[in-house]
Amino acid sequence: MKFSEQWLREWVSPQLGVQGLADQITMAGLEVDAIEPVASVFSGVVVAEVVDKRQHPDADKLNVCQVVDGSGETVQVVCGAANVAVGQKVPFARVGAVLPGDFKIKQAKLRGVESRGMICSASELGLAEETSGGILVLPADATAGEDFRAWMGLDDHTVEVDLTPNRGDCLSLKGLAREVGVLNRLPVTPPVIEPVAPRHDETFPVHVEDAERCPRYIGRLIKGVDVTAATPLWMVERLRRSGIRSIDPVVDVTNYVMLELGQPLHAFDRDNLHGAVVVRLARQGERLILLDGQEIALEASTLVIADERGPLAIAGVMGGEHSGVGPATQDIFLESAFFSPLAVAGQARSYGLHTDASHRFERGVDPQLTHEAVERATALLLAITGGEPGPLVEVASEANLPAEREVTLRAARLEQALCKALPGEEVQDILERLGMQVRAIESGWRASVPSWRFDIAIEEDLIEEVARIHGYNRLPVRRPAARLALRPDNEARTPLARLRRQMVARGYQEAITYSFVAPELQQALLPEAVSPRLANPISSDLAVMRASLFPGLVRALEYNLNRQQTRVRLFETGLVFRGELDELEQAPMVGALACGERFPEGWAGGREKVDFFDLKGDLESLIALGGEENAWRFEPGEHPALHPGQSARIIHRGEPVGWVGALHPGVKAELGLKADVFLFEVRQDALTHGVLPGFEPLSRYPEVRRDLAFLMAEERPVQALLDCVRHQAGEWLQELNLFDVYQGKGVPEGSKSVALGLTWQHPSRTLNDDEINQLVDAIVAESHQHLGAELRG
């Protein structure tokens, strides 16, 4: 809701600046979003009168005009506007004036004719967004020589208020002025609205078939209107400052009354109405072309305004094109109605529409406002367009109009909620200034709710009203007292936040993808996966719950590759869903994806591509955080999404907990990926499980190291050799390092050389060579017996 500060001050004018006024209504719950000046900065522009106009001697499209600007002399100016005419009052920029955009007016010659100033259009003064088709013509009562900015009241501000859905009563100048008056204890001076006497007896019949959705409908026939008349400049300006563009006098008046009083109105062309106006539900197969040119198929639940030929408008939303007012309109049927909020709510959105009328009706319009609004609109139309009004036609169902409500406010409950005892006189004064009729009762007060406050129904609503008018900032500040015990911290577990920090430190970025994925993508990666299918997905490519983090990470990779990001490092933590709904398993997982170069581009880095062992190393850095690296194993395995020769099953304490490997070539080809992609996915509980570190005294005795190189079959996993060595190395083994794997010259084909570094240390004595040699012999013998490994010479 936008409103002009000057317009509001005509109703109520507190001793506050615009910022103070905005702060006040914000603290009262009507949040101000923006305060903007209504016009650009300019100076040196005055009101002038055109007293002579002649054709320019050397230019067909230019006129030489003489204007009187109040300076005591006639000023010559060359003007190219086609609508300039003798006798007009116009905005005139004198020599030396500065227009918006720091455009300075200087004396000049145009095609040899001297011009001392410029007659301005609305756009040149910053009063219109689009380029004006001609100069701005002012009313005849404007005084020549008066400062144009002061005469137009352009030192004004547009205030934009963001109202919550429950405060539909403030979607008008009347409602906002009422609030400001209450907050400042000032009287509100609304415009005087008196009934308009009919000048003819002709009416147009109205029938309401659905009184529950439309409890009150008022119509009036106004004959002989001049739709070509110009809307007064003061009304055009007020509409502009409220964010509404002037269209024609009939539409402008209905918009103006809606802004002023809060009641949406609509005008029909009488010649396009047939039979009677009927308020009913739409029928199957009916269609309507709206004012914006959009043709829609009406649903049976839509309330429409119709005649005997069919629908004319969607009730409370938008009128139809063929029944609207046009340049040839002479007689209009003016509509003012109260529609139930539930009847309008959702209708506009169901057709992809949102109008000022629907915005108000959905939140509730004062049902007692319909008479006042139609009388106000009639008076304005007669003053602008002329015409002869007929009598009002009203169809009302008192049983379906909102009933009067009374709400009790207990003094004890009010004090408990506000933590402050307010004088009873102040509470009653606040409620009465809000438009309620209040009577004192033994426990507190009984308030009759005014018709415009749809949001007041229970005691807490009255407490809120008292609190915000009294002032939230005047209520005491109290903090709850509580005995809060420290939350136990399991030191044996690695926090998920630490895993995330570790991945970020390794150069990864966290991704948060949807828990829903495309069925075809999940089928390509996990053909045997079973996960719930959504009954009502938000889109077709988010139709199934993810059974793995892989689909979301791969989709994120595609997004980045399509935007020229060739080096991608992503990780994600989240739930995966496996099984049908009856036996659904929800497992928290940690997944990662790497693609592109091993190192970021730089003068010291090469262009090597990331490989399986890079990603495995990043995973092992997460494993190391738990302090039990020996509980983890990597075993060869086959996964439908991973390369058969570059994938491994991840084992933790003997149980499979995840996978690591390269994306399967077939999947990569199906997705159109050209770069190699490496992924891992591990159960979160396995990564966060760890052991408490324990202190062991450092041995004062020297370490003994032996390096052993084994020849073993190429297909044998190195992990099997490590397990065998660790089993035979004894309790004094401190470290076992794999420091070389070699195939090539000197190594038989089909074999590989694996070099291990073993370090022993005894806590209480020095180990001798005989003990170490025995351990080495046992290792060599065991490796040969179980793995066929030979000590390399």
Side-chain angles (χ1 to χ4, degrees):
M1 170 69 187
K2 291 182 178 181
F3 66 91
S4 159
E5 178 194 0
Q6 288 182 0
W7 192 5
L8 177 69
R9 290 188 184 277
E10 291 185 9
W11 289 67
V12 58
S13 185
Q15 298 299 312
L16 295 170
V18 64
Q19 187 61 55
L21 180 64
D23 293 342
Q24 184 184 64
I25 62 178
T26 295
M27 287 301 297
L30 312 178
E31 182 180 354
V32 172
D33 272 356
I35 302 173
E36 298 177 350
V38 301
S40 304
V41 177
F42 61 85
S43 62
V45 181
V46 297
V47 177
E49 181 179 357
V50 180
V51 295
D52 185 56
K53 169 190 169 184
R54 297 181 182 179
Q55 179 70 41
H56 191 291
D58 295 323
D60 294 338
K61 294 185 178 180
L62 295 180
N63 299 299
V64 180
C65 302
Q66 305 293 326
V67 301
V68 175
D69 66 350
S71 62
E73 62 178 8
T74 302
V75 182
Q76 178 173 289
V77 60
V78 177
C79 179
N83 65 326
V84 65
V86 174
Q88 289 177 338
K89 298 290 180 65
V90 294
F92 177 66
R94 291 169 170 167
V95 173
V98 180
L99 299 187
D102 200 27
F103 178 67
K104 297 180 180 179
I105 302 299
K106 300 178 182 179
Q107 185 171 329
K109 284 189 176 182
L110 297 177
R111 295 287 183 93
V113 177
E114 186 180 67
S115 179
R116 293 186 293 151
M118 184 173 80
I119 302 176
C120 303
S121 67
S123 58
E124 288 166 340
L125 295 172
L127 302 180
E129 294 182 1
E130 300 177 357
T131 302
S132 302
I135 61 170
L136 177 62
V137 180
L138 306 181
D141 60 358
T143 304
E146 187 172 355
D147 182 79
F148 175 76
R149 192 175 188 89
W151 182 81
M152 284 282 289
L154 295 179
D155 294 324
D156 186 14
H157 296 87
T158 292
V159 182
E160 184 174 359
V161 181
D162 185 12
L163 298 172
T164 51
N166 64 313
R167 293 310 305 272
D169 61 296
C170 290
L171 286 167
S172 65
L173 255 292
K174 183 177 183 177
L176 287 167
R178 188 164 49 217
E179 284 289 305
V180 174
V182 171
L183 293 169
N184 294 280
R185 296 177 180 270
L186 293 174
V188 178
T189 308
V192 177
I193 302 175
E194 296 180 349
V196 177
R199 297 182 190 172
H200 63 81
D201 297 331
E202 186 176 346
T203 61
F204 198 82
V206 174
H207 303 297
V208 177
E209 294 183 1
D210 196 329
E212 182 179 354
R213 289 178 170 85
C214 179
R216 174 171 286 151
Y217 190 98
I218 297 176
R220 165 174 272 162
L221 185 62
I222 304 177
K223 303 174 66 176
V225 297
D226 180 10
V227 181
T228 62
T231 303
L233 185 59
W234 63 266
M235 181 178 288
V236 173
E237 268 298 289
R238 285 185 174 178
L239 291 173
R240 182 184 73 84
R241 298 178 194 188
S242 300
I244 295 180
R245 181 172 58 89
S246 174
I247 298 175
D248 63 54
V250 176
V251 175
D252 291 348
V253 166
T254 58
N255 284 334
Y256 182 84
V257 174
M258 178 184 67
L259 291 173
E260 184 181 59
L261 303 180
Q263 171 70 50
L265 304 168
H266 188 66
F268 298 96
D269 187 331
R270 166 64 181 84
D271 292 339
N272 292 324
L273 302 182
H274 303 276
V277 168
V278 183
V279 184
R280 59 172 174 81
L281 292 178
R283 295 170 184 146
Q284 191 68 33
E286 287 186 324
R287 304 182 70 84
L288 176 65
I289 300 176
L290 300 173
L291 283 171
D292 61 1
Q294 176 185 356
E295 183 177 3
I296 59 172
L298 295 170
E299 299 175 3
S301 60
T302 300
L303 188 68
V304 297
I305 311 299
D307 63 5
E308 64 180 20
R309 293 190 177 184
L312 304 170
I314 301 178
V317 180
M318 186 181 288
E321 185 178 61
H322 80 278
S323 63
V325 174
T329 299
Q330 295 181 346
D331 303 334
I332 64 171
F333 180 73
L334 186 63
E335 166 195 281
S336 178
F338 171 73
F339 300 110
S340 167
L342 292 178
V344 180
Q347 282 197 6
R349 288 188 295 276
S350 68
Y351 294 108
L353 303 171
H354 181 80
T355 64
D356 290 329
S358 67
H359 188 75
R360 286 164 172 79
F361 279 124
E362 286 176 355
R363 287 154 177 77
V365 174
D366 183 0
Q368 305 302 324
L369 197 59
T370 46
H371 283 91
E372 183 180 359
V374 76
E375 297 288 8
R376 175 65 165 162
T378 302
L380 290 170
L381 283 170
L382 296 182
I384 299 171
T385 66
E388 298 179 349
L392 292 178
V393 177
E394 179 179 2
V395 178
S397 172
E398 295 295 334
N400 289 294
L401 285 168
E404 293 185 2
R405 289 158 289 153
E406 286 194 342
V407 181
T408 299
L409 174 60
R410 295 167 292 166
R413 178 70 183 95
L414 178 66
E415 181 178 353
Q416 178 191 34
L418 303 187
C419 297
K420 183 178 182 179
L422 298 181
E425 300 79 18
E426 180 182 355
V427 175
Q428 183 162 344
D429 177 63
I430 288 174
L431 296 179
E432 288 177 346
R433 284 189 287 123
L434 286 168
M436 305 181 196
Q437 295 180 2
V438 184
R439 68 177 189 273
I441 58 176
E442 184 177 351
S443 61
W445 304 270
R446 188 78 176 163
S448 295
V449 181
S451 58
W452 60 83
R453 291 303 298 268
F454 285 77
D455 59 319
I456 298 178
I458 59 176
E459 184 177 32
E460 282 69 17
D461 297 329
L462 293 181
I463 293 173
E464 179 188 0
E465 292 301 298
V466 172
R468 70 183 189 85
I469 301 301
H470 176 73
Y472 293 125
N473 54 337
R474 297 173 59 191
L475 298 177
V477 177
R478 296 186 181 179
R479 296 177 177 85
R483 297 178 180 271
L484 302 177
L486 293 175
R487 186 175 64 181
D489 186 13
N490 187 349
E491 296 183 42
R493 297 193 66 81
T494 304
L496 181 60
R498 190 177 178 194
L499 297 178
R500 291 189 175 117
R501 288 196 297 270
Q502 177 68 11
M503 291 301 289
V504 171
R506 304 282 292 192
Y508 288 75
Q509 293 184 345
E510 184 171 9
I512 300 175
T513 65
Y514 283 110
S515 296
F516 323 124
V517 296
E520 58 274 10
L521 178 59
Q522 181 151 291
Q523 177 68 21
L525 292 168
L526 308 162
E528 298 181 0
V530 177
S531 64
R533 178 176 289 272
L534 301 182
N536 187 23
I538 57 178
S539 68
S540 59
D541 58 347
L542 297 172
V544 296
M545 304 294 287
R546 65 186 180 192
S548 167
L549 297 180
F550 286 170
L553 290 171
V554 169
R555 187 66 77 201
L557 170 67
E558 290 179 315
Y559 185 90
N560 281 272
L561 292 177
N562 290 339
R563 285 154 183 80
Q564 293 80 46
Q565 301 300 312
T566 57
R567 185 177 186 273
V568 180
R569 301 286 189 281
L570 298 174
F571 79 95
E572 182 174 13
T573 61
L575 291 174
V576 299
F577 308 87
R578 295 165 180 160
E580 299 293 350
L581 278 176
D582 296 339
E583 299 179 353
L584 185 63
E585 176 194 357
Q586 302 183 54
M589 307 291 285
V590 178
L593 175 148
C595 176
E597 285 78 21
R598 177 172 293 146
F599 302 109
E601 184 178 4
W603 66 271
R607 303 290 291 180
E608 300 91 350
K609 300 293 184 181
V610 68
D611 62 19
F612 174 88
F613 296 102
D614 291 311
L615 188 70
K616 182 171 178 284
D618 294 330
L619 174 57
E620 287 175 335
S621 74
L622 296 182
I623 292 172
L625 296 177
E628 54 169 3
E629 296 93 321
N630 294 335
W632 294 78
R633 296 168 56 84
F634 294 86
E635 296 182 351
E638 291 190 6
H639 186 283
L642 301 178
H643 194 298
Q646 298 185 53
S647 60
R649 186 189 298 273
I650 306 168
I651 308 296
H652 177 245
R653 296 194 170 194
E655 292 186 7
V657 294
W659 289 89
V660 60
L663 190 64
H664 196 288
V667 175
K668 193 169 67 170
E670 183 177 347
L671 299 177
L673 300 174
K674 297 181 180 179
D676 290 333
V677 182
F678 300 90
L679 311 98
F680 75 70
E681 181 180 47
V682 189
R683 267 177 32 198
Q684 185 178 304
D685 58 351
L687 282 174
T688 56
H689 187 279
V691 294
L692 282 174
F695 173 75
E696 291 183 1
L698 298 177
S699 175
R700 295 184 293 112
Y701 298 94
E703 296 178 343
V704 179
R705 172 163 175 142
R706 293 286 190 273
D707 292 343
L708 304 177
F710 291 93
L711 286 174
M712 57 187 301
E714 181 181 5
E715 66 274 7
R716 287 279 189 182
V718 173
Q719 184 65 51
L721 179 61
L722 295 175
D723 293 341
C724 182
V725 170
R726 190 173 282 112
H727 181 262
Q728 293 295 324
E731 59 180 317
W732 305 321
L733 181 69
Q734 297 295 315
E735 288 188 51
L736 173 60
N737 292 324
L738 169 67
F739 65 85
D740 184 51
V741 177
Y742 172 72
Q743 289 179 278
K745 186 177 179 180
V747 175
E749 188 175 350
S751 298
K752 59 185 175 184
S753 171
V754 179
L756 307 175
L758 295 86
T759 303
W760 287 274
Q761 187 179 36
H762 199 283
S764 58
R765 62 182 177 84
T766 301
L767 293 171
N768 57 50
D769 288 343
D770 290 340
E771 292 173 312
I772 298 301
N773 291 336
Q774 289 179 9
L775 293 172
V776 169
D777 292 342
I779 290 171
V780 172
E782 184 77 10
S783 301
H784 178 71
Q785 180 178 351
H786 289 92
L787 303 176
E790 299 285 349
L791 194 62
R792 185 179 176 190

